[in-house]
Amino acid sequence: MARDSNATKARLLDAAFTEFATYGIAGARVDRIAEAAQANKRLIYVYYGNKEQLFDAVLQRALATGSESVPFDVEDLPGYAGAVFDHLVERPALMRLVLWKQLERPGATDEESTSYDGKIAAVRRAQEAGRIDAAVPAVDVLTLVMGLSQAWFGAVGGPAADAAGTGWAAERLAEHRAAVVESVRRITAPAPPAGGA
């Protein structure tokens, strides 16, 4: 029985991810989620409480998957930024889900705050050790790294696709990725020694 309920929960979360990424919280419909998951609509309320709590579960699962797929590496922030970029290229609906979250629920969850606090502390320690330039506060370094990693996906005018809405060509994708990695390298490179060349 537990195996069946776990499979049903996974199908509901998968269907809800697609629904929320497409329509946001307000536009998502529980009926469509249940139909896509081939599950009884009542189970959404049994397992998750309501539509907003289902969204929270979907978002938390997506963020946990992202953290597992792309571990934070304060010793190689340019490489980390490139890996986040790659993760988003492979999962374009994830960025849409995040944008809907920002539009409809702009505050950070406790889990998001805890994750960011740990990353900010790691950046601060790297700055204190001289491995990352300390001219920019650690919180801003992390914000810039994440922002650069995600910029191509949310920019007005959609540079992530051409005028017809088709995805990037492989060469253009490589150029965007290289720009992200190089930009992060420049903003995090240790400051040259005082008085040195």
Side-chain angles (χ1 to χ4, degrees), residues 52-111:
E52 289 75 19
Q53 290 169 312
L54 176 60
F55 179 84
D56 292 341
V58 167
L59 183 63
Q60 184 56 40
R61 179 185 186 213
L63 294 176
T65 299
S67 292
E68 291 169 11
S69 299
V70 186
F72 183 68
D73 185 358
V74 74
E75 299 304 322
D76 182 14
L77 288 177
Y80 172 72
V84 170
F85 180 86
D86 294 341
H87 185 74
L88 293 173
V89 166
E90 293 171 9
R91 296 159 188 82
L94 177 56
M95 197 63 214
R96 288 195 306 273
L97 182 74
V98 170
L99 291 171
W100 278 115
K101 192 264 183 203
Q102 288 299 96
L103 285 169
E104 296 184 287
R105 283 201 185 156
T109 65
D110 290 340
E111 293 86 4

Side-chain angles (χ1 to χ4, degrees), residues 95-178:
M95 197 63 214
R96 288 195 306 273
L97 182 74
V98 170
L99 291 171
W100 278 115
K101 192 264 183 203
Q102 288 299 96
L103 285 169
E104 296 184 287
R105 283 201 185 156
T109 65
D110 290 340
E111 293 86 4
E112 290 169 321
S113 294
T114 299
S115 174
Y116 271 61
D117 289 347
K119 292 173 183 168
I120 291 164
V123 171
R124 190 173 296 116
R125 286 190 299 273
Q127 287 177 317
E128 290 166 357
R131 295 188 308 274
I132 295 176
D133 189 351
V136 176
V139 65
D140 294 325
V141 169
L142 181 62
T143 301
L144 289 166
V145 169
M146 296 308 298
L148 286 165
S149 300
Q150 301 169 7
W152 303 110
F153 305 96
V156 176
D162 62 19
T166 56
W168 288 317
E171 307 84 41
R172 192 66 184 119
L173 181 64
E175 289 173 355
H176 284 306
R177 187 187 194 283

Side-chain angles (χ1 to χ4, degrees), residues 25-37:
I25 301 169
R29 297 291 171 256
V30 171
D31 290 339
R32 285 193 299 245
I33 294 168
E35 183 179 338

